[in-house]
């Protein structure tokens, strides 16, 4: 079962993100992660469904929501927006996800921003465990209730021990991993499959960020 996101990811992933697992989108700032999250929520709204949207960086933009969905007020009513400001808040919110009968899509943008602020050389083992716990809760919700879960991760340049552990956790739990990158031009991006259960790694799609959403450029191919 797949969930159509209403973005170029649908073509890349032969129909959409898997409804029974966690999909992880990672890339640098400005690569389009939040755009994809908001557009997936819009698609869910257009299907008459509700989205739980956990926003850890106040990145959800009402102005952007207005641009992408003419029925702005109704769109906003379809979103259960949870703003979290600390790692502990985030842990609580993820732990207490309930009333899932009403929700058919879960988004966490970003799963690791507050984690990054919390973790240090002393506490990294317990904080990493807490990150794994959140992934595990989300993976279970997806698997048992067939609720697609979309999470985002940033990329960092440092290669320290903490960094490696968080990467291993974020590689292990999601069944699908998509990398986003800027290409030529201000608004052009590429989405590349980095992990998938049934599709080749390296398959990619190029797209443009426009005022109304994301527009595919050309055809995808293997490289
Ligand atoms: N209306 C728009 N037209 C063109 N580009 C836009 C528009 N709105 C936002 N963008 C571009 O989208 C990018 C931000 O994307 P976003 O999804 O927030 O990235 P991320 O979440 O990966 O940091 C910025 O480069 C911004 O210029
Ligand atoms: Mg963002």
């Amino acid at each position: 079962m797949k969930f159509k996101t209403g973005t170029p990811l649908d073509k890349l992933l032969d129909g959409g993100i898997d409804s029974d697992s966690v999909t992880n989108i990672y890339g640098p700032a400005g690569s389009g992660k939040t755009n994809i999250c908001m557009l997936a929520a819009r698609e869910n709204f257009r299907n008459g469904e509700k989205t739980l949207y956990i926003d850890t960086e106040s990145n959800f933009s009402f102005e952007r929501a207005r641009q992408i969905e003419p029925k702005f007020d109704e769109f906003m009513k379809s979103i259960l927006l949870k703003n979290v400001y600390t790692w502990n808040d985030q842990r609580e919110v993820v732990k207490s996800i309930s009333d899932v009968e009403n929700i058919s899509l879960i988004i966490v943008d970003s799963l690791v921003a507050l984690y990054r602020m919390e973790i240090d050389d002393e506490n990294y083992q317990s904080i990493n465990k807490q990150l794994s716990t959140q992934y595990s809760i989300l993976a279970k919700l997806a698997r048992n209730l067939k609720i697609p879960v979309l999470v985002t991760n940033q990329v960092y340049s440092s290669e320290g021990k903490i960094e490696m552990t968080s990467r291993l956790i974020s590689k292990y739990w999601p069944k699908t991993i998509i990398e986003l990158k800027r290409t030529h031009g201000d608004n052009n991006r590429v989405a590349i499959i980095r992990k998938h259960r049934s599709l080749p790694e390296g398959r990619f799609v190029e797209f443009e960020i426009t005022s109304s959403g994301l527009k595919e450029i050309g055809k995808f191919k293997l490289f």
Side-chain angles (χ1 to χ4, degrees), residues 206-219:
E206 291 184 85
F207 62 88
E208 187 188 346
I209 304 178
T210 70
S211 55
S212 57
L214 303 178
K215 194 165 146 269
E216 193 192 329
I217 313 169
K219 292 196 165 66

Side-chain angles (χ1 to χ4, degrees), residues 33-34 57 59 109:
K33 301 180 296 292
T34 299
E57 292 181 301
N59 273 333
D109 182 28

Side-chain angles (χ1 to χ4, degrees), residues 50-68:
K50 288 195 159 56
T51 301
L52 171 63
Y53 198 118
I54 302 172
D55 183 2
T56 71
E57 292 181 301
S58 305
N59 273 333
F60 188 96
S61 156
F62 295 100
E63 211 174 315
R64 188 66 177 137
R66 218 181 273 280
Q67 285 175 4
I68 62 172

